[in-house]
Amino acid sequence: RWTAAGGRSREVGADSAGAFEFARVEPGTYTLSAFLDRDEDGDHDGGTLEPYTPAEPFALHVDLTVERGQGVAVTLPESRPAP
């Protein structure tokens, strides 16, 4: 999810390789959030303590400044469930 100053936001899904792109982003300052939707329900899962299940990996970039012609890449951390 790309969120611009003023609260406007856009969402995109990743392709089968996990890559995603926001096309035609105007120069400005944004917040970018992304998560790896392991259970494919469309919502971020924060995990549980009992029984333990790890949270889905999440990335947050605040005050991300985009200039004309600039691209942005985000890589989510790999996280393995506990045995």
Side-chain angles (χ1 to χ4, degrees), residues 22-75:
F22 288 91
R24 298 181 305 278
V25 175
E26 292 294 319
T29 301
Y30 297 87
T31 297
L32 175 65
S33 61
F35 68 95
L36 179 59
D37 192 12
R38 287 200 171 119
D39 58 9
E40 299 180 354
D41 67 352
D43 294 316
H44 178 258
D45 183 352
T48 60
L49 291 175
E50 291 290 332
Y52 177 75
T53 57
E56 293 173 325
F58 182 83
L60 178 66
H61 298 275
V62 179
D63 294 333
L64 181 65
T65 301
V66 177
E67 297 179 8
R68 188 167 307 282
Q70 181 181 22
V72 177
V74 173
T75 303

